[in-house]
Amino acid sequence: MKLPIAARPQVISRFWAVIRRFPKLIATVLVFQVVASLIVVATPWLIGRLLDLIVAGTTRAEVTRYLIIIGVLVAAQLLLTYLGEYFSRVFGQAVFAQLREDLVNSVTHMPLSVVEAAGTGDLIGRTTHDIDRIQYLVQRGIYRIIMIVLTALVTYVAAFLLAPMLALLLLVPLIPLMFIVRWYLRRAVPGYQAESAQWATLSGITTETVEQHSTVDALDLRRVRNNILDVAITQIWNLERYTAYLRIFLLSAVIFFLQTPALLVAMAGAWAIPNGYATLGVVTTIALYGVQLSHPLGELSFWVDVLQSAATSLARIFGVDEVESDRVASGKQPTSTAVSAHEVSFEYRPGHPVLHGVDLELRPGETLAIVGPSGAGKSTLGRMIAGIHPPTSGSVTVGGVPLVELTENELHQNVALVTQEHHVFVGTIADNLRLAKPDATVEQMWHVLKSMGAASWVQELSDGLDTKVGSGALTLSPAQAQQLALARIVLMNPHTLILDEATSLMDPTAARQLERSLGKALEGRTVVAIAHRLYTAHDADRVAVMVDGRIVELGRHDQLVARGGEYASLWRAWQHE
């Protein structure tokens, strides 16, 4: 499965919607650029006018006055350009920050089932490489494009008002350039799309190799992984080289054709001036306009290339928003905390069911252990109960309301999942805890840390709750990170908690102590514990045994042992390990 890519009309409308959030900055930038463009046009006109006055025999005082005016305009242009650059960069930073915030919001609300189906490589590529590619355009390009377009429009208008026939010569190079740009776009757009997709592939390969480095080392797969990485890099190199050739051709053609207008105007002027169709000043002004247009239009070709690259990345970024939600809120509210699964079946791939018509009623306040061999569907069932995946068929409800009909906030207030995968966010320990409850007090945070057995080591840190952790700061051990993650969940305070091997990274003794502490902290709440360590099942109120996607046994530990079935076999095998 691939994450969607937004169509070009959606990209334009979405990007324009972001820009419109800053009307004051847009107005400020436009005012400065319009005034600066008028000055840019006025200066060549004054020079041409001055030449005509000199030919007519004007006074030295008049020449001096014109030179002073020209000098003042040049100084004003420098000041306006500086102010325009300043406010444009502020505007660009604001737009870029908004794009990043919108992307983070979209990613964090994306259905986890979609992320798992698409793989992390594509998503990482969109949040890193693609966002980096648009940074330069947003922070610098918007300002430059606005300036170039306004300058070109004002210059062409002024040229046609002054001498329409000579001004037509300024349009001559635009005709071949239109065909060249069209040729370029037909090849550049798919080239950049393939390039972005390949970067996403490379991100996935790299991430997968780093995260599973222990498996790579254990199975001696370094050469295999290096070969896969080499192939991906070679493909990126070929695509980057192809798009570079396109850029070189475009820029070379633009530079060549944009040098011709001034030459054409000078040649036409050599005929027009002696025959009385134009003055020296008019020809000089139009020629200066031609020279003046060559630089911004040449630069515009550069930004056209940047736009194609950025548009491809924006299409991938905005495509994240087009992921369909796996839940539609009905507005119904649960009437109780009872969670139940009815005839639940689930398929990761069509035609390959992992769960087969599972029925399960959770008793509020009980601890239910789900055990069984690897691949039996335990974690999948836990995800169904947590509302992570909607069932392929059947339903999982809380208080009579299907989990897929609750909003994300309502779901997390009712049910939460804790897996063996944990993450320490960059920030302080307090910041990490307040992700679950933004208004948590210091007393509440210490209370949950104490309940998880983490208060002692946090107190030993130099800054306590204010100690910075995560990338670039203090690195927590896997056990400490797990305690922090569990404390965060306790602070969230859901009435039903699913623990999927949540203490697997700790040694058995520490894990058992933590589970007992967690049991006390969650007393009165419903807990579903998925574990391979059967002492968890021994301590639970009930045990569900899964085999091949079905619950084959359900009851208390002593009842199941006495029955002599699947659970009894697992218990005997575990005791002899």
Side-chain angles (χ1 to χ4, degrees):
M1 175 182 176
K2 293 291 185 182
L3 296 177
I5 296 176
R8 185 58 61 94
Q10 281 71 36
V11 172
I12 294 173
S13 62
R14 286 288 310 280
F15 191 59
W16 176 240
V18 173
I19 289 176
R20 284 187 302 173
R21 297 185 193 182
F22 309 96
K24 292 182 179 179
L25 281 173
I26 293 176
T28 302
V29 171
L30 287 176
V31 167
F32 280 117
Q33 294 304 333
V34 168
V35 176
S37 298
L38 291 173
I39 292 176
V40 167
V41 170
T43 303
W45 181 83
L46 287 172
I47 293 173
R49 177 63 178 162
L50 178 58
L51 286 175
D52 284 341
L53 290 174
I54 292 173
V55 171
T58 188
T59 63
R60 181 178 296 180
E62 186 70 7
V63 173
T64 303
R65 186 167 68 87
Y66 267 83
L67 291 176
I68 291 173
I69 293 173
I70 291 172
V72 170
L73 288 178
V74 170
Q77 181 184 344
L78 289 174
L79 178 61
L80 289 169
T81 301
Y82 168 79
L83 293 173
E85 174 87 12
Y86 173 79
F87 285 107
S88 296
R89 292 204 179 195
V90 172
F91 171 63
Q93 291 285 3
V95 171
F96 185 63
Q98 190 64 56
L99 284 170
R100 285 191 300 183
E101 289 178 9
D102 290 347
L103 177 60
V104 170
N105 182 65
S106 299
V107 169
T108 53
H109 290 86
M110 183 185 297
L112 185 58
S113 57
V114 175
V115 177
E116 292 179 342
T120 57
D122 193 7
L123 193 57
I124 290 173
R126 298 185 189 218
T127 56
T128 54
H129 182 69
D130 286 316
I131 202 72
D132 288 341
R133 289 180 87 171
I134 68 168
Q135 182 175 3
Y136 185 66
L137 170 69
V138 174
Q139 293 180 344
R140 295 292 307 277
I142 295 177
Y143 152 70
R144 297 299 301 174
I145 292 171
I146 290 174
M147 188 199 74
I148 290 168
V149 171
L150 286 175
T151 300
L153 288 175
V154 172
T155 303
Y156 278 120
V157 170
F160 274 94
L161 290 175
L162 182 62
M165 298 306 294
L166 289 174
L168 286 173
L169 298 174
L170 299 181
L171 299 177
V172 170
L174 298 184
I175 298 173
L177 285 178
M178 288 175 59
F179 289 100
I180 291 172
V181 170
R182 187 177 178 182
W183 175 91
Y184 162 80
L185 292 179
R186 283 201 303 263
R187 290 158 177 79
V189 172
Y192 283 125
Q193 288 175 344
E195 200 175 276
S196 294
Q198 191 58 37
W199 273 107
T201 301
L202 180 63
S203 297
I205 294 170
T206 305
T207 303
E208 189 178 67
T209 302
V210 172
E211 289 181 348
Q212 306 301 326
H213 64 89
S214 56
T215 302
V216 172
D217 288 340
L219 300 179
D220 194 20
L221 297 176
R222 283 170 291 182
R223 181 175 298 176
V224 174
R225 298 305 297 179
N226 283 335
N227 289 339
I228 294 173
L229 193 64
D230 288 343
V231 170
I233 292 174
T234 300
Q235 291 174 337
I236 287 177
W237 167 259
N238 291 333
L239 288 168
E240 291 275 8
R241 186 170 58 180
Y242 171 70
T243 55
Y245 286 154
L246 293 177
R247 288 194 296 271
I248 292 170
F249 177 80
L250 176 66
L251 294 176
S252 300
V254 167
I255 291 172
F256 174 78
F257 283 106
L258 289 180
Q259 300 306 313
T260 58
L263 178 61
L264 292 175
V265 171
M267 293 171 62
W271 171 83
I273 294 173
N275 290 283
Y277 292 108
T279 65
L280 175 62
V282 170
V283 173
T284 301
T285 300
I286 301 299
L288 287 175
Y289 284 160
V291 174
Q292 192 168 270
L293 284 168
S294 64
H295 176 70
L297 290 180
E299 185 182 350
L300 184 60
S301 66
F302 164 76
W303 289 112
V304 166
D305 179 74
V306 175
L307 275 170
Q308 301 317 304
S309 174
T312 300
S313 292
L314 282 172
R316 290 166 54 78
I317 290 170
F318 291 145
V320 175
D321 279 340
E322 297 187 3
V323 174
E324 293 185 6
S325 176
D326 59 354
R327 62 191 68 249
V328 178
S330 64
K332 298 178 182 179
Q333 296 299 314
T335 57
S336 69
T337 61
V339 177
S340 60
H342 177 66
E343 288 294 320
V344 171
S345 296
F346 183 75
E347 300 174 353
Y348 288 103
R349 292 183 299 159
H352 297 80
V354 178
L355 299 179
H356 307 269
V358 175
D359 288 303
L360 181 64
E361 298 283 341
L362 297 181
R363 300 167 183 170
E366 77 166 339
T367 296
L368 172 73
I370 300 179
V371 300
S374 296
K378 303 186 297 298
S379 295
T380 301
L381 178 59
R383 287 169 176 267
M384 297 293 107
I385 299 172
I388 301 300
H389 294 290
T392 303
S393 63
S395 64
V396 181
T397 63
V398 55
V401 180
L403 295 182
V404 293
E405 294 184 12
L406 298 176
T407 65
E408 285 186 29
N409 288 336
E410 290 170 342
L411 175 65
H412 297 155
Q413 289 168 6
N414 285 274
V415 186
L417 171 70
V418 181
T419 69
Q420 59 186 337
E421 300 172 359
H422 55 270
H423 185 73
V424 178
F425 295 89
V426 175
T428 65
I429 290 178
D431 292 335
N432 273 264
L433 292 173
R434 286 195 172 110
L435 287 171
K437 187 177 181 181
D439 59 348
T441 64
V442 173
E443 290 74 17
Q444 288 174 324
M445 288 188 285
W446 279 117
H447 176 72
V448 295
L449 288 173
K450 185 177 181 181
S451 68
M452 293 299 103
S456 57
W457 62 262
V458 174
Q459 288 172 339
E460 293 175 359
L461 300 176
S462 58
D463 295 320
L465 290 173
D466 294 325
T467 302
K468 292 184 177 181
V469 294
S471 178
L474 177 67
T475 300
L476 300 182
S477 68
Q480 291 173 331
Q482 235 169 8
Q483 287 177 316
L484 187 60
L486 290 169
R488 196 159 47 211
I489 292 297
V490 173
L491 197 59
M492 188 184 293
N493 197 27
H495 62 68
T496 300
L497 187 66
I498 294 88
L499 304 178
D500 188 359
E501 297 290 344
T503 58
S504 62
L505 296 181
M506 306 179 73
D507 65 78
T509 302
R512 188 164 175 78
Q513 289 178 338
L514 179 59
E515 288 181 2
R516 286 174 175 170
S517 299
L518 185 61
K520 293 179 181 178
L522 297 176
E523 191 172 344
R525 294 174 178 81
T526 306
V527 178
V528 177
I530 302 167
H532 290 125
R533 294 167 177 166
L534 291 193
Y535 60 69
T536 302
H538 178 274
D539 296 339
D541 298 312
R542 287 193 301 165
V543 181
V545 182
M546 292 196 70
V547 177
D548 295 331
R550 295 179 174 86
I551 294 180
V552 296
E553 292 181 343
L554 180 64
R556 294 196 311 271
H557 165 78
D558 52 352
Q559 291 176 330
L560 297 182
V561 171
R563 188 178 299 173
E566 291 286 343
Y567 181 75
S569 298
L570 290 172
W571 179 254
R572 286 194 298 271
W574 185 74
Q575 282 187 313
H576 287 88
E577 287 184 355

